[in-house]
Amino acid sequence: MKSPSSSFPAPDRSPATVGKAKLTGGISRRHILIGLAALVAEAGFWSNPLFSNAQTPAAPAAAPPPSPEALTFLNFSKRITGHADLKTDTGVRIEAAMRKTYPDFAAQSSRLGALLQDGQEPKALLAAATDAGLRDLTLAIVAAWYTGTIGKGKQAVVVSYAEALMYQPVSDGQTVPTYCNYGPLWWTKAPPAIRVSAPVAPAPAPAPATTGTPEPKAKT
């Protein structure tokens, strides 16, 4: 009669089998396949051209260079306002808005450009524009730069607000209305350095000096 243990094969206890059991103990084939599938899916997701295009925004198109008319208008604006640091893109927008607001602006703008001379002061340029019958248009250009607005009423066009020249004389002590005093997200910056010295306790007053010897008390 065979022993009960003779009907079952003896377990394989070879070194290779024991090492395999230690390596995969607690990790089933299902877990391994799921992990491989996740890696393959993730690799395919990141290599998807649609996703890569969405993560890499296209570079903004370069703005076209200003037209000769816009450059002439900008040069005239710098001379008549006395501000040589006027921005080109703002000048282009103001010039385009002036064309839409004033029908004869294109013809008169070329006449304004012809008045420019080297080393010309704003008053002299305004006098020349007045003699040429272009005083009102010249003052409208100055108003556009100082207020950032072209036209009046419902037809007014706001081209620039924060860059309006009327805010520059007080820019060292007053910010543009409705704008934050310290810029956006100012609270994320480090606080300014403390410029107040610590209080110093006053020195105690010296005791009054005594001279001679004290008089003896009278006996009663």
Side-chain angles (χ1 to χ4, degrees):
M1 182 177 180
K2 296 182 180 180
S3 62
S5 59
S6 61
S7 60
F8 297 95
D12 187 0
R13 298 187 179 277
S14 61
T17 304
V18 175
K20 184 176 180 180
K22 291 182 179 179
L23 179 64
T24 60
I27 302 178
S28 64
R29 179 180 296 179
R30 178 184 178 87
H31 291 143
I32 296 175
L33 293 177
I34 292 176
L36 291 176
L39 291 176
V40 172
E42 184 178 0
F45 178 77
W46 289 104
S47 62
N48 191 333
L50 296 178
F51 182 80
S52 59
N53 291 338
Q55 290 295 317
T56 307
S67 62
E69 294 79 8
L71 290 177
T72 301
F73 173 80
L74 181 63
N75 293 332
F76 181 85
S77 300
K78 291 179 179 180
R79 196 68 58 83
I80 194 62
T81 60
H83 292 268
D85 57 347
L86 300 180
K87 293 185 178 181
T88 302
D89 55 347
T90 305
V92 171
R93 296 197 302 268
I94 292 180
E95 195 266 347
M98 296 286 288
R99 285 177 176 269
K100 295 181 179 179
T101 304
Y102 303 99
D104 55 347
F105 176 78
Q108 295 183 357
S109 179
S110 59
R111 296 176 56 195
L112 291 176
L115 301 176
L116 293 175
Q117 298 179 6
D118 294 339
Q120 197 174 27
E121 297 293 332
K123 290 184 178 180
L125 182 56
L126 178 60
T130 302
D131 296 339
L134 301 172
R135 180 181 178 87
D136 291 342
L137 180 60
T138 301
L139 295 179
I141 294 174
V142 174
W145 281 101
Y146 269 84
T147 63
T149 305
I150 295 90
K152 298 179 180 180
K154 296 181 179 180
Q155 287 74 29
V157 179
V158 178
V159 176
S160 176
Y161 180 71
E163 299 175 5
L165 296 180
M166 64 181 179
Y167 298 124
Q168 291 193 7
V170 294
S171 60
D172 57 339
Q174 180 180 356
T175 57
V176 178
T178 74
Y179 275 62
C180 181
N181 292 347
Y182 303 101
L185 300 178
W186 62 269
W187 57 86
T188 62
K189 301 177 183 179
I194 299 176
R195 299 181 180 179
V196 180
S197 59
V200 178
T210 58
T211 59
T213 58
E215 295 181 357
K217 294 182 179 180
K219 296 181 179 179
T220 59

